[in-house]
């Protein structure tokens, strides 16, 4: 029983601290001792989801269900079923069934996804900001770095973790021509969320829904009786900002909110003003919001308006910067090994029939020689990539044109 408590506490601590790999190990050990702990199964499902491996999470659920049926003749509890349903729904919304993380064996190179490498400290920084935001101190975090360095990847992994912690996540992405489309990333973030809401009127009064309908005209289709938004040119913008701020605050009262805005360097001026307004509102209301932004460092340096906006934002809310550096040589090697699926090959080799191994040409150490060769080749490839990318400026292994052109700049 005390051991159970120890595993429970340790894994809770690791999960909430974003220590996902250690949490996975702790939970695996816990389940080895107690095959019937639904709490451990649920936590392990969440950790796999946060690690970006929905297929593994689903497998944990299947095992849990089978064990309970086999040994106790019961179904999983409502909490476990709810989590499974959540996984099923999010897989369906992505248009596919939970799929195992792709490997070099199963997918063409363009779809490879390696585990997140070398970003543990950055991830911890994000988790710490999230914890503060969840405690009622709204925060801004800026993930910054060169093109292709892994800003989106880190943000994606983090929001998956935050979602598994029960946070609401909204995200929008600015794009290069976006300057001519005011508010587009905010519309992208808010629109689908409101559409999915059963009763938006529980979140916002009609007056504010009416103002919001300037951004989201589909609201008028759903609520034809909404009053007309203000006709006063001067107050229209202010009212719109207020409506967005109220909506996000209402969501944050239900559960902590992460608003991810990608590629801030392309954000239009109107959205920048809105973000500034939101920051003031959240500060005044102690909203449980984390505003997470990704930005190319070189673009900020070239854009004085954006630099000024960021300084201004810092007057209202604490702004933490998460600068991403190129991967180290060892991390690059680790990445290459992960892509090559070396671990899996190792497992397969052990399963090969003995006679097959002894039939190999090398007589000295028949089982090890091919493995060593592969290892040497991978180390060589890792070193090569590290050198080619000037200390791994590009962490992308896909054969995208930017990589092939040898420009060294990868745009993911
Ligand atoms: N630490 C990492 N571990 C494993 N893969 C990574 C890592 N960082 C980046 N990648 C992979 O490298 C590619 C490029 O990363 P990403 O798209 O996140 O870059 P970015 O900084 O957002 O680029 P951009 O400035 O063009 O938006 C992606 O395929 C991503 O999965
Ligand atoms: Mg990106």
């Amino acid at each position: 029983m005390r051991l159970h408590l120890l595993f429970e506490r340790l894994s809770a601590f690791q999960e909430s601290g974003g220590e996902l790999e250690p949490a996975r190990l702790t939970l695996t050990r816990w389940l080895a001792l107690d095959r019937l702990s639904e709490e451990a199964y649920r936590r392990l499902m969440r950790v796999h989801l946060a690690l970006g491996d929905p297929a593994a999470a689903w497998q944990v659920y299947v095992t849990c269900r089978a064990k309970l049926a086999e040994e106790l003749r019961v179904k999983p509890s409502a909490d476990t079923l709810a989590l499974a349903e959540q996984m099923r729904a999010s897989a369906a919304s992505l248009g596919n069934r939970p799929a195992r993380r792709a490997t070099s064996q199963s997918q063409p190179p363009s779809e490879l996804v390696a585990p997140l490498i070398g970003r543990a400290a950055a991830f911890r920084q994000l988790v710490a900001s999230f914890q503060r935001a969840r405690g009622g101190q709204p925060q801004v975090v800026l993930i910054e770095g060169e093109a292709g360095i892994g800003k989106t990847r880190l943000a994606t992994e983090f929001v998956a973790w935050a979602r598994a912690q029960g946070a609401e996540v909204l995200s929008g992405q600015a794009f290069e021509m976006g300057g001519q489309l005011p508010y587009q990333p905010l519309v992208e973030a808010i629109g689908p969320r409101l559409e999915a809401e059963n009763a938006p009127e529980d979140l916002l009064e009609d007056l504010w829904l009416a103002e919001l309908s300037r951004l989201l005209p589909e609201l008028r289709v759903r609520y034809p009786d909404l009053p007309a938004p203000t006709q006063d040119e001067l107050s229209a913008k202010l009212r719109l900002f207020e409506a967005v701020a109220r909506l996000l605050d209402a969501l944050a009262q239900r559960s902590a909110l992460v608003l991810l805005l990608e590629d801030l360097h392309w954000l239009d001026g109107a959205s920048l003003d809105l973000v500034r307004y939101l920051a003031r509102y959240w500060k005044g209301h102690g909203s449980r919001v984390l505003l997470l932004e990704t930005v190319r460092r070189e673009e900020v340096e070239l854009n004085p308006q954006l630099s000024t906006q960021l300084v201004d934002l810092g007057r209202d809310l604490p702004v933490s910067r998460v600068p991403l550096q190129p991967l180290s040589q060892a991390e690059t090697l680790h990445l290459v090994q992960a892509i090559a699926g070396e671990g899996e090959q190792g497992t397969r080799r052990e399963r090969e029939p003995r006679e097959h191994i002894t039939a190999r040409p090398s007589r000295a150490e028949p089982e090890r020689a091919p493995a060593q060769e592969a290892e040497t080749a991978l180390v060589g490839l890792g070193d090569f990539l590290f050198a080619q990318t000037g200390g791994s400026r590009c962490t992308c292994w896909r054969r995208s044109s930017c990589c092939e052109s040898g420009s060294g700049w990868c745009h993911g």
Side-chain angles (χ1 to χ4, degrees), residues 119 142-152 263 265 293-301 321-326 393 409-410:
R119 298 295 182 216
L142 211 58
I143 302 179
E144 51 181 27
E146 312 170 332
I149 198 123
K151 303 178 291 297
T152 297
D263 297 326
H265 42 276
E293 301 173 318
T294 62
V295 67
R296 287 187 185 164
R297 189 187 303 135
E298 66 272 22
E299 303 269 355
V300 183
E301 284 157 11
R321 297 189 124 85
V322 179
L324 294 189
Q325 303 301 334
R393 182 156 51 192
W409 296 101
C410 169

Side-chain angles (χ1 to χ4, degrees), residues 328-407:
S328 69
Q329 191 163 11
E331 288 161 351
T332 309
L333 173 61
H334 187 175
L335 181 64
V336 172
Q337 285 172 331
I339 297 162
E342 208 204 14
E344 289 188 8
Q345 285 171 11
T347 317
R348 262 196 304 282
R349 266 198 299 274
E350 282 157 27
R351 283 202 222 110
E352 279 177 352
R354 185 98 194 130
E355 55 277 19
H356 185 76
I357 293 171
T358 46
R360 283 189 178 130
S362 169
R363 300 231 155 246
E365 262 196 295
E367 287 134 275
R368 302 187 113 215
Q372 278 170 351
E373 267 172 36
E375 175 80 18
T376 312
L378 285 174
V379 170
L381 183 55
D383 284 349
F384 173 76
L385 282 178
F386 180 75
Q388 287 298 302
T389 57
S392 189
R393 182 156 51 192
C394 167
T395 52
C396 174
W397 57 88
R398 298 183 302 190
R399 294 204 192 136
S400 56
S401 54
C402 54
C403 297
E404 280 183 341
S405 70
S407 67

Side-chain angles (χ1 to χ4, degrees), residues 40-249:
Y41 282 117
R42 277 197 302 276
R43 199 163 284 170
L44 187 55
M45 283 155 74
R46 288 200 302 269
V47 166
H48 277 304
L49 285 177
L51 282 165
D53 197 346
W58 188 256
Q59 196 50 51
V60 172
Y61 169 68
V62 171
T63 308
C64 166
R65 194 178 51 187
K67 287 278 163 215
L68 292 174
E70 208 175 286
E71 299 191 23
L72 301 178
R73 305 205 174 280
V74 295
K75 287 187 174 165
S77 68
D79 283 352
T80 309
L81 288 172
L83 185 53
E85 190 44 50
Q86 197 183 318
M87 286 176 0
R88 212 195 311 256
S90 76
S93 75
L94 290 172
N96 51 27
R97 295 215 325 260
R100 178 156 286 284
R101 183 181 278 158
T103 68
S104 54
Q105 309 272 309
S106 59
Q107 298 288 330
S110 62
E111 292 178 29
L112 285 174
V113 178
L116 183 71
I117 308 271
R119 298 295 182 216
F123 202 96
R124 273 197 297 274
Q125 214 181 321
L126 291 170
V127 169
S129 294
F130 173 77
Q131 308 286 26
R132 284 193 289 273
R134 186 156 64 175
Q137 297 172 45
Q139 306 278 315
V140 181
V141 177
L142 211 58
I143 302 179
E144 51 181 27
E146 312 170 332
I149 198 123
K151 303 178 291 297
T152 297
R153 179 65 193 273
L154 175 63
T156 309
E157 300 271 350
F158 168 72
V159 297
W161 173 85
R163 210 176 260 126
Q165 302 299 303
E168 169 100 62
V169 177
L170 303 182
S171 54
Q173 175 158 27
F175 60 94
E176 208 156 356
M177 300 304 288
Q180 284 137 44
L181 292 175
Y183 307 120
Q184 168 268 326
L186 272 305
V187 170
E188 192 179 308
I190 296 169
R193 178 62 187 81
L194 262 192
E195 208 168 301
E197 180 66 34
N198 286 334
E201 66 274 20
D202 289 351
L203 286 167
L204 270 190
E205 290 153 22
D206 281 7
L207 166 71
W208 300 113
L209 279 178
E211 297 299 335
L212 212 52
S213 70
R214 287 177 197 281
L215 274 192
L216 306 166
E218 61 272 22
L219 275 174
R220 296 216 155 261
V221 179
R222 201 164 161 190
Y223 296 101
D225 297 336
L226 277 183
T230 179
Q231 300 302 309
D232 176 14
E233 288 278 309
L234 282 178
S235 55
K237 196 168 178 181
L238 182 65
R239 292 249 205 149
L240 175 62
F241 285 11
E242 181 71 16
V244 176
R246 282 174 183 251
L247 172 69
L248 296 179
D249 185 55

